[in-house]
Amino acid sequence: MAIFSLWVINKAGGLVYQRNFADGLAQLTSNEYLVLAGTLHGIHAITSRLSPTGSSSGAQVIEGETFKMTILLTATGTKFVLLTSLAEATADLVLQRVYEAYADAVMKNPFHTPEMPVRSEGFDTRITSLIGTGQP
Amino acid sequence: MQQPHPRFSVLSGSSLSSAEHLSPTASSTRFSLPSATSINTALGTPKPGVRPNIYDRNLNKTRTSEVSASAFAFLFSEVVQYTQKRVSGINDLERRLNTLGYRAGTRVLELMVWRAESSSKAPKREIRFLPALMSIHTQVWRAVFGRPADAIEKSVENEDEYMIIDNDPPIERHISVPKDMNQLSCSSFTAGIVEAVLDGLGLPARVTAHHTPTQQFPSRTTILIKLDKSVLEREEILK
């Protein structure tokens, strides 16, 4: 029951925010995170075309043996990705709150350039108060 | 040709005396006034089917209405970005925000006094400095932000300095200033409002905003009011 990490991917596929919480995933270099985020962006686009019943959004949950990845796609094309343990049930709710925090602390910040990496202290503080250490 | 008041020519170079700038009939895509032509009609019974324009509306009607904080946050964020592109440094940015706040402050004072005193039997106005400061601390803050400010202080080093403290200024709630600009206080806008109210009451002063965070309140801001010498002299005489 842990939250491992949070990624925010902009509409072009670039990683704009990445942060780790609980231990449990391998530590990667920032370059590797950028590559992974770009790959995920591509996969998400492909999965939105694979639906047998017509148009659909892309993948929302990807599960592995030891972790689960929940993706929230917003109306503007920004993706919020939460990597959690399999047992974590609140991923969707947490992502909604992260989206709210993003809309407040990042979008309303005049010192943030849209689609660029997020360097707002306000966002960091709100995520910390929201997720904390990732362990309940 | 008279020089325009320096406070009123913030961003455009045009002087106030050029009438085409303000004429509603000149086609300009920047100002979209609904029913612009009715500004020129006489006040009185509006024609049936024509909605009364904003200038004829009762001022007390929107007394208690509130503006969406998110809408204002986006607007203010754009104001700061727009100003930042046109200035050369932090001081200039603060000065421009101060001027914009000044323009809002003159209107705040008028509206506040009209609403507070128009219904009372004996309207009065603050002429001494300390009651004026108290009224700024409560009434102006309440009119603009919906709650009174947190503290008033008097400086011990200088006779002419007073401070209003706000522990969580609403206009700065979503702003995160980068580390290399951490002397900037976007509350210079609020300082401009206070300066306009003081000027309107006949107590000229220089008002600036300073970011003074504490452990408990990381966005605490101090509005520093430095009174003009003429005000101090007048206070002495009236004492």
Side-chain angles (χ1 to χ4, degrees):
Chain A
M1 278 284 291
I3 296 179
F4 297 133
S5 125
L6 168 71
W7 300 354
V8 181
I9 304 177
N10 68 14
K11 62 164 80 87
L15 185 68
V16 299
Y17 188 78
Q18 186 277 330
R19 186 156 155 193
N20 295 331
F21 303 97
D23 293 324
L25 294 183
Q27 294 291 2
L28 305 176
T29 66
S30 52
N31 215 29
E32 290 173 329
Y33 283 122
L34 283 170
V35 170
L36 282 180
T39 313
L40 181 63
H41 172 82
I43 291 175
H44 189 271
I46 292 172
T47 53
S48 72
R49 309 295 219 98
L50 290 178
S51 164
T53 55
S55 71
S56 144
S57 74
Q60 286 173 332
V61 180
I62 299 179
E63 276 188 15
E65 264 178 31
T66 51
F67 75 99
K68 178 169 71 167
M69 183 186 270
T70 316
I71 304 173
L72 171 66
L73 173 70
T74 69
T76 52
T78 311
K79 278 183 271 307
F80 293 88
V81 182
L82 199 68
L83 286 94
T84 63
S85 63
L86 282 173
E88 184 74 40
T90 60
D92 287 316
L93 192 60
V94 172
L95 278 177
Q96 278 294 339
R97 299 240 177 86
V98 168
Y99 186 23
E100 275 178 40
Y102 182 81
D104 278 344
V106 176
M107 288 286 105
K108 292 173 187 166
N109 185 12
F111 300 104
H112 172 257
T113 321
E115 310 301 311
M116 289 279 111
V118 173
R119 298 252 173 277
S120 304
E121 224 184 287
F123 187 59
D124 286 328
T125 319
R126 283 185 72 152
I127 297 295
T128 312
S129 64
L130 192 62
I131 299 181
T133 56
Q135 310 277 20
Chain B
M1 181 167 76
Q2 64 175 90
Q3 275 293 87
H5 190 293
R7 295 251 178 231
F8 291 115
S9 58
V10 177
L11 301 161
S12 69
S14 61
S15 89
L16 283 177
S17 55
S18 73
E20 313 103 47
H21 188 64
L22 299 168
S23 156
T25 54
S27 69
S28 73
T29 50
R30 272 176 48 194
F31 303 103
S32 57
L33 301 163
S35 68
T37 50
S38 63
I39 291 173
N40 296 325
T41 61
L43 294 170
T45 54
K47 295 196 281 293
V50 174
R51 271 181 49 216
N53 64 41
I54 192 171
Y55 300 103
D56 296 332
R57 208 162 59 174
N58 185 353
L59 284 174
N60 269 328
K61 192 168 175 185
T62 47
R63 194 180 180 127
T64 46
S65 62
E66 292 179 340
V67 171
S68 153
S70 293
F72 182 75
F74 281 117
L75 178 66
F76 190 61
S77 158
E78 187 52 37
V79 164
V80 174
Q81 286 179 52
Y82 179 92
T83 319
Q84 208 180 4
K85 277 199 217 97
R86 288 161 172 76
V87 295
S88 46
I90 292 183
N91 288 331
D92 206 11
L93 178 60
E94 288 196 344
R95 216 171 38 85
R96 290 225 178 188
L97 288 176
N98 191 310
T99 312
L100 288 170
Y102 192 93
R103 301 177 75 172
T106 50
R107 292 155 176 85
V108 164
L109 176 65
E110 289 294 332
L111 200 54
M112 199 180 77
V113 170
W114 191 93
R115 282 179 175 161
E117 305 293 337
S118 67
S119 48
S120 81
K121 292 269 179 11
K124 62 175 186 58
R125 202 194 101 178
E126 275 87 8
I127 49 176
R128 304 294 308 275
F129 176 68
L130 275 176
L133 188 63
M134 299 290 304
S135 99
I136 291 179
H137 168 274
T138 40
Q139 286 174 4
V140 171
W141 243 254
R142 224 180 252 142
V144 176
F145 301 122
R147 59 170 172 79
D150 291 302
I152 302 185
E153 284 178 12
K154 180 170 159 37
S155 158
V156 283
E157 293 110 33
N158 302 324
E159 266 305 310
D160 56 351
E161 282 183 1
Y162 291 79
M163 293 165 278
I164 294 182
I165 301 193
D166 197 341
N167 288 329
D168 181 24
I171 62 176
E172 285 198 341
R173 191 163 290 151
H174 304 300
I175 298 183
S176 312
V177 184
K179 292 278 186 321
D180 52 345
M181 295 173 87
N182 65 353
Q183 305 143 302
L184 172 71
S185 177
C186 293
S187 286
S188 304
F189 187 82
T190 318
I193 295 181
V194 173
E195 188 163 346
V197 171
L198 284 172
D199 273 357
L201 289 173
L203 305 156
R206 248 180 2 135
V207 187
T208 48
H210 302 275
H211 184 52
T212 49
T214 59
Q215 272 290 24
Q216 200 185 2
F217 299 114
S219 50
R220 184 168 168 272
T221 300
T222 304
I223 311 273
L224 182 66
I225 302 172
K226 196 169 168 66
L227 292 172
D228 219 30
K229 257 208 308 235
S230 57
V231 178
L232 290 173
E233 287 163 8
R234 197 169 67 210
E235 290 287 308
E236 273 303 314
I237 295 173
L238 286 173
K239 211 181 274 184

